Tab-separated table of all heavy atoms in Angstrom:
chain	number	residue	atom	x	y	z
A	1	GLY	N	34.139	21.379	16.880
A	1	GLY	CA	35.103	22.309	16.318
A	1	GLY	C	36.494	21.744	16.112
A	1	GLY	O	37.367	22.424	15.565
A	2	THR	N	36.720	20.498	16.524
A	2	THR	CA	38.018	19.870	16.306
A	2	THR	C	38.309	19.760	14.818
A	2	THR	O	37.457	19.321	14.041
A	2	THR	CB	38.073	18.475	16.941
A	2	THR	OG1	37.879	18.598	18.348
A	2	THR	CG2	39.414	17.786	16.669
A	3	VAL	N	39.515	20.161	14.430
A	3	VAL	CA	39.915	20.137	13.020
A	3	VAL	C	40.968	19.058	12.812
A	3	VAL	O	41.940	18.980	13.564
A	3	VAL	CB	40.474	21.507	12.585
A	3	VAL	CG1	41.026	21.444	11.155
A	3	VAL	CG2	39.398	22.573	12.692
A	4	THR	N	40.764	18.230	11.798
A	4	THR	CA	41.760	17.250	11.389
A	4	THR	C	42.161	17.564	9.953
A	4	THR	O	41.306	17.638	9.074
A	4	THR	CB	41.205	15.815	11.449
A	4	THR	OG1	40.761	15.528	12.782
A	4	THR	CG2	42.272	14.800	11.039
A	5	GLN	N	43.450	17.757	9.735
A	5	GLN	CA	43.921	17.937	8.360
A	5	GLN	C	44.281	16.577	7.785
A	5	GLN	O	44.879	15.737	8.463
A	5	GLN	CB	45.129	18.867	8.301
A	5	GLN	CG	45.566	19.161	6.869
A	5	GLN	CD	46.629	20.241	6.762
A	5	GLN	OE1	47.048	20.819	7.762
A	5	GLN	NE2	47.071	20.518	5.553
A	6	MET	N	43.920	16.351	6.512
A	6	MET	CA	44.122	15.048	5.905
A	6	MET	C	44.944	15.096	4.625
A	6	MET	O	45.460	14.077	4.178
A	6	MET	CB	42.775	14.377	5.644
A	6	MET	CG	41.906	14.277	6.902
A	6	MET	SD	40.710	12.927	6.838
A	6	MET	CE	41.778	11.493	6.952
A	7	VAL	N	45.066	16.265	4.029
A	7	VAL	CA	45.868	16.449	2.826
A	7	VAL	C	46.581	17.792	2.942
A	7	VAL	O	45.943	18.791	3.305
A	7	VAL	CB	44.991	16.435	1.549
A	7	VAL	CG1	45.827	16.670	0.292
A	7	VAL	CG2	44.227	15.115	1.427
A	8	PRO	N	47.888	17.877	2.664
A	8	PRO	CA	48.567	19.170	2.672
A	8	PRO	C	47.899	20.133	1.695
A	8	PRO	O	47.363	19.709	0.662
A	8	PRO	CB	49.995	18.834	2.232
A	8	PRO	CG	50.159	17.383	2.579
A	8	PRO	CD	48.814	16.762	2.357
A	9	PHE	N	47.938	21.421	1.984
A	9	PHE	CA	47.205	22.388	1.184
A	9	PHE	C	47.813	22.639	-0.196
A	9	PHE	O	47.186	23.293	-1.028
A	9	PHE	CB	47.075	23.704	1.949
A	9	PHE	CG	46.228	23.594	3.185
A	9	PHE	CD1	46.725	23.979	4.414
A	9	PHE	CD2	44.940	23.087	3.121
A	9	PHE	CE1	45.954	23.884	5.559
A	9	PHE	CE2	44.150	22.979	4.256
A	9	PHE	CZ	44.659	23.379	5.485
A	10	ASP	N	49.012	22.139	-0.433
A	10	ASP	CA	49.589	22.260	-1.780
A	10	ASP	C	49.406	20.986	-2.594
A	10	ASP	O	50.021	20.809	-3.641
A	10	ASP	CB	51.077	22.623	-1.703
A	10	ASP	CG	51.921	21.526	-1.078
A	10	ASP	OD1	51.370	20.671	-0.348
A	10	ASP	OD2	53.144	21.526	-1.312
A	11	GLN	N	48.550	20.096	-2.101
A	11	GLN	CA	48.298	18.820	-2.763
A	11	GLN	C	46.812	18.702	-3.090
A	11	GLN	O	45.956	19.198	-2.347
A	11	GLN	CB	48.729	17.670	-1.857
A	11	GLN	CG	48.814	16.317	-2.528
A	11	GLN	CD	49.479	15.283	-1.617
A	11	GLN	OE1	50.077	15.631	-0.597
A	11	GLN	NE2	49.370	14.027	-1.980
A	12	ILE	N	46.489	18.050	-4.190
A	12	ILE	CA	45.098	17.913	-4.627
A	12	ILE	C	44.369	16.884	-3.771
A	12	ILE	O	44.869	15.782	-3.549
A	12	ILE	CB	45.038	17.497	-6.106
A	12	ILE	CG1	45.568	18.632	-6.996
A	12	ILE	CG2	43.616	17.117	-6.523
A	12	ILE	CD1	45.767	18.232	-8.438
A	13	ALA	N	43.190	17.272	-3.276
A	13	ALA	CA	42.293	16.347	-2.582
A	13	ALA	C	41.105	16.067	-3.498
A	13	ALA	O	40.703	16.916	-4.302
A	13	ALA	CB	41.813	16.944	-1.266
A	14	TYR	N	40.534	14.882	-3.357
A	14	TYR	CA	39.442	14.462	-4.233
A	14	TYR	C	38.090	14.704	-3.559
A	14	TYR	O	37.407	13.770	-3.147
A	14	TYR	CB	39.599	12.991	-4.582
A	14	TYR	CG	40.857	12.661	-5.355
A	14	TYR	CD1	41.546	11.478	-5.128
A	14	TYR	CD2	41.368	13.545	-6.312
A	14	TYR	CE1	42.701	11.166	-5.848
A	14	TYR	CE2	42.519	13.243	-7.021
A	14	TYR	CZ	43.180	12.058	-6.787
A	14	TYR	OH	44.324	11.761	-7.487
A	15	HIS	N	37.700	15.965	-3.472
A	15	HIS	CA	36.470	16.332	-2.778
A	15	HIS	C	35.375	16.853	-3.697
A	15	HIS	O	34.206	16.850	-3.340
A	15	HIS	CB	36.767	17.402	-1.716
A	15	HIS	CG	37.336	18.665	-2.287
A	15	HIS	ND1	36.562	19.749	-2.608
A	15	HIS	CD2	38.613	19.000	-2.628
A	15	HIS	CE1	37.328	20.704	-3.106
A	15	HIS	NE2	38.579	20.267	-3.128
A	16	ALA	N	35.738	17.320	-4.880
A	16	ALA	CA	34.780	18.042	-5.715
A	16	ALA	C	34.033	17.168	-6.716
A	16	ALA	O	32.977	17.554	-7.208
A	16	ALA	CB	35.495	19.175	-6.458
A	17	GLY	N	34.576	16.018	-7.052
A	17	GLY	CA	33.942	15.163	-8.050
A	17	GLY	C	33.918	15.826	-9.421
A	17	GLY	O	34.757	16.678	-9.733
A	18	LYS	N	32.947	15.448	-10.233
A	18	LYS	CA	32.787	16.074	-11.541
A	18	LYS	C	32.250	17.478	-11.322
A	18	LYS	O	31.126	17.656	-10.845
A	18	LYS	CB	31.826	15.247	-12.404
A	18	LYS	CG	31.714	15.747	-13.826
A	18	LYS	CD	30.797	14.849	-14.646
A	18	LYS	CE	30.702	15.354	-16.089
A	18	LYS	NZ	29.808	14.482	-16.909
A	19	SER	N	33.033	18.484	-11.648
A	19	SER	CA	32.706	19.833	-11.198
A	19	SER	C	33.240	20.897	-12.146
A	19	SER	O	34.206	20.677	-12.890
A	19	SER	CB	33.285	20.059	-9.797
A	19	SER	OG	34.672	19.716	-9.780
A	20	THR	N	32.615	22.069	-12.065
A	20	THR	CA	33.008	23.221	-12.881
A	20	THR	C	32.803	24.491	-12.077
A	20	THR	O	31.797	24.641	-11.370
A	20	THR	CB	32.166	23.306	-14.168
A	20	THR	OG1	32.286	22.086	-14.901
A	20	THR	CG2	32.620	24.458	-15.053
A	21	TRP	N	33.758	25.411	-12.190
A	21	TRP	CA	33.592	26.725	-11.554
A	21	TRP	C	34.398	27.763	-12.333
A	21	TRP	O	35.531	27.504	-12.709
A	21	TRP	CB	34.037	26.703	-10.093
A	21	TRP	CG	33.736	27.999	-9.394
A	21	TRP	CD1	34.624	28.943	-8.971
A	21	TRP	CD2	32.438	28.484	-9.051
A	21	TRP	NE1	33.960	29.994	-8.397
A	21	TRP	CE2	32.609	29.731	-8.437
A	21	TRP	CE3	31.142	27.984	-9.223
A	21	TRP	CZ2	31.531	30.500	-7.966
A	21	TRP	CZ3	30.078	28.742	-8.766
A	21	TRP	CH2	30.276	29.978	-8.138
A	22	GLY	N	33.789	28.911	-12.542
A	22	GLY	CA	34.477	29.987	-13.251
A	22	GLY	C	34.892	29.606	-14.656
A	22	GLY	O	35.912	30.105	-15.160
A	23	GLY	N	34.120	28.723	-15.294
A	23	GLY	CA	34.436	28.301	-16.644
A	23	GLY	C	35.519	27.244	-16.733
A	23	GLY	O	35.912	26.851	-17.838
A	24	LYS	N	35.995	26.761	-15.587
A	24	LYS	CA	37.037	25.741	-15.561
A	24	LYS	C	36.485	24.452	-14.959
A	24	LYS	O	35.816	24.484	-13.924
A	24	LYS	CB	38.244	26.222	-14.746
A	24	LYS	CG	38.929	27.449	-15.320
A	24	LYS	CD	39.918	28.046	-14.337
A	24	LYS	CE	41.047	27.094	-13.990
A	24	LYS	NZ	42.037	27.711	-13.068
A	25	SER	N	36.771	23.339	-15.585
A	25	SER	CA	36.322	22.048	-15.063
A	25	SER	C	37.399	21.436	-14.177
A	25	SER	O	38.553	21.874	-14.178
A	25	SER	CB	35.995	21.101	-16.222
A	25	SER	OG	37.138	20.873	-17.017
A	26	GLY	N	37.008	20.405	-13.421
A	26	GLY	CA	37.963	19.734	-12.539
A	26	GLY	C	38.387	20.612	-11.381
A	26	GLY	O	39.562	20.948	-11.221
A	27	VAL	N	37.422	20.973	-10.537
A	27	VAL	CA	37.662	21.945	-9.463
A	27	VAL	C	38.676	21.439	-8.436
A	27	VAL	O	39.344	22.239	-7.758
A	27	VAL	CB	36.327	22.340	-8.802
A	27	VAL	CG1	36.538	23.287	-7.618
A	27	VAL	CG2	35.402	22.987	-9.829
A	28	ASN	N	38.835	20.128	-8.306
A	28	ASN	CA	39.847	19.600	-7.384
A	28	ASN	C	41.220	20.227	-7.622
A	28	ASN	O	41.996	20.418	-6.674
A	28	ASN	CB	39.977	18.084	-7.546
A	28	ASN	CG	38.838	17.322	-6.905
A	28	ASN	OD1	38.233	17.773	-5.944
A	28	ASN	ND2	38.533	16.157	-7.461
A	29	ALA	N	41.529	20.531	-8.877
A	29	ALA	CA	42.870	20.979	-9.245
A	29	ALA	C	43.192	22.382	-8.761
A	29	ALA	O	44.376	22.758	-8.720
A	29	ALA	CB	43.038	20.908	-10.767
A	30	PHE	N	42.170	23.152	-8.373
A	30	PHE	CA	42.457	24.527	-7.950
A	30	PHE	C	41.644	24.947	-6.725
A	30	PHE	O	41.355	26.116	-6.530
A	30	PHE	CB	42.228	25.514	-9.116
A	30	PHE	CG	40.854	25.457	-9.749
A	30	PHE	CD1	39.823	26.262	-9.284
A	30	PHE	CD2	40.605	24.611	-10.817
A	30	PHE	CE1	38.566	26.231	-9.873
A	30	PHE	CE2	39.355	24.563	-11.416
A	30	PHE	CZ	38.325	25.376	-10.945
A	31	SER	N	41.302	23.977	-5.881
A	31	SER	CA	40.489	24.302	-4.706
A	31	SER	C	40.956	23.564	-3.461
A	31	SER	O	41.622	22.532	-3.535
A	31	SER	CB	39.020	23.951	-4.974
A	31	SER	OG	38.863	22.548	-5.089
A	32	ILE	N	40.566	24.107	-2.323
A	32	ILE	CA	40.796	23.476	-1.021
A	32	ILE	C	39.438	23.057	-0.461
A	32	ILE	O	38.497	23.857	-0.418
A	32	ILE	CB	41.527	24.426	-0.070
A	32	ILE	CG1	42.967	24.615	-0.559
A	32	ILE	CG2	41.507	23.903	1.364
A	32	ILE	CD1	43.748	25.658	0.173
A	33	GLY	N	39.333	21.795	-0.059
A	33	GLY	CA	38.061	21.235	0.387
A	33	GLY	C	37.963	21.129	1.896
A	33	GLY	O	38.842	20.554	2.545
A	34	ILE	N	36.881	21.673	2.447
A	34	ILE	CA	36.595	21.591	3.880
A	34	ILE	C	35.318	20.788	4.072
A	34	ILE	O	34.267	21.136	3.525
A	34	ILE	CB	36.420	22.989	4.504
A	34	ILE	CG1	37.711	23.806	4.380
A	34	ILE	CG2	35.988	22.874	5.969
A	34	ILE	CD1	37.567	25.241	4.854
A	35	GLU	N	35.394	19.714	4.839
A	35	GLU	CA	34.226	18.896	5.152
A	35	GLU	C	33.751	19.205	6.575
A	35	GLU	O	34.513	19.080	7.533
A	35	GLU	CB	34.559	17.406	5.046
A	35	GLU	CG	34.786	16.904	3.635
A	35	GLU	CD	33.490	16.558	2.912
A	35	GLU	OE1	32.412	16.651	3.534
A	35	GLU	OE2	33.577	16.186	1.722
A	36	ILE	N	32.493	19.620	6.692
A	36	ILE	CA	31.892	19.896	7.999
A	36	ILE	C	31.023	18.698	8.393
A	36	ILE	O	30.147	18.286	7.628
A	36	ILE	CB	31.028	21.169	7.963
A	36	ILE	CG1	31.857	22.371	7.482
A	36	ILE	CG2	30.441	21.449	9.341
A	36	ILE	CD1	31.036	23.635	7.312
A	37	VAL	N	31.284	18.134	9.550
A	37	VAL	CA	30.529	16.955	9.993
A	37	VAL	C	29.079	17.363	10.245
A	37	VAL	O	28.766	18.115	11.175
A	37	VAL	CB	31.156	16.340	11.252
A	37	VAL	CG1	30.274	15.212	11.783
A	37	VAL	CG2	32.556	15.817	10.944
A	38	ASN	N	28.199	16.882	9.381
A	38	ASN	CA	26.791	17.224	9.428
A	38	ASN	C	26.035	16.219	8.560
A	38	ASN	O	26.550	15.821	7.513
A	38	ASN	CB	26.570	18.645	8.904
A	38	ASN	CG	25.139	19.126	9.069
A	38	ASN	OD1	24.279	18.830	8.247
A	38	ASN	ND2	24.885	19.878	10.128
A	39	PRO	N	24.841	15.808	8.957
A	39	PRO	CA	24.130	14.801	8.166
A	39	PRO	C	23.593	15.310	6.840
A	39	PRO	O	23.177	14.523	5.993
A	39	PRO	CB	22.986	14.361	9.088
A	39	PRO	CG	22.791	15.509	10.023
A	39	PRO	CD	24.147	16.102	10.222
A	40	GLY	N	23.586	16.629	6.631
A	40	GLY	CA	23.034	17.161	5.396
A	40	GLY	C	21.520	17.125	5.409
A	40	GLY	O	20.875	17.090	6.464
A	41	MET	N	20.913	17.132	4.231
A	41	MET	CA	19.456	17.161	4.128
A	41	MET	C	18.856	15.818	4.541
A	41	MET	O	19.326	14.764	4.104
A	41	MET	CB	19.038	17.509	2.708
A	41	MET	CG	17.588	17.914	2.584
A	41	MET	SD	17.208	19.506	3.357
A	41	MET	CE	17.575	20.614	1.997
A	42	MET	N	17.816	15.897	5.374
A	42	MET	CA	17.185	14.692	5.905
A	42	MET	C	15.675	14.739	5.695
A	42	MET	O	15.142	15.717	5.164
A	42	MET	CB	17.525	14.561	7.399
A	42	MET	CG	19.016	14.407	7.686
A	42	MET	SD	19.373	14.257	9.458
A	42	MET	CE	19.098	15.950	10.020
């Protein structure tokens, strides 16, 4: 549950890659990215 912040919330982080949401591309420009430490699908 330890949280580390790595980018201020008013600054763009590069977490979304090539992405689209709500008819808008480049989701990095209007989103906040949270990474949960987990191996994902195995």
Side-chain angles (χ1 to χ4, degrees):
T2 299
V3 174
T4 302
Q5 185 171 358
M6 305 205 70
V7 178
F9 294 125
D10 66 339
Q11 193 170 347
I12 293 170
Y14 297 143
H15 61 95
K18 186 177 181 180
S19 52
T20 303
W21 186 250
K24 297 168 62 178
S25 61
V27 177
N28 284 332
F30 55 91
S31 67
I32 290 172
I34 298 174
E35 290 276 357
I36 304 175
V37 174
N38 186 277
M41 195 69 87
M42 298 180 287

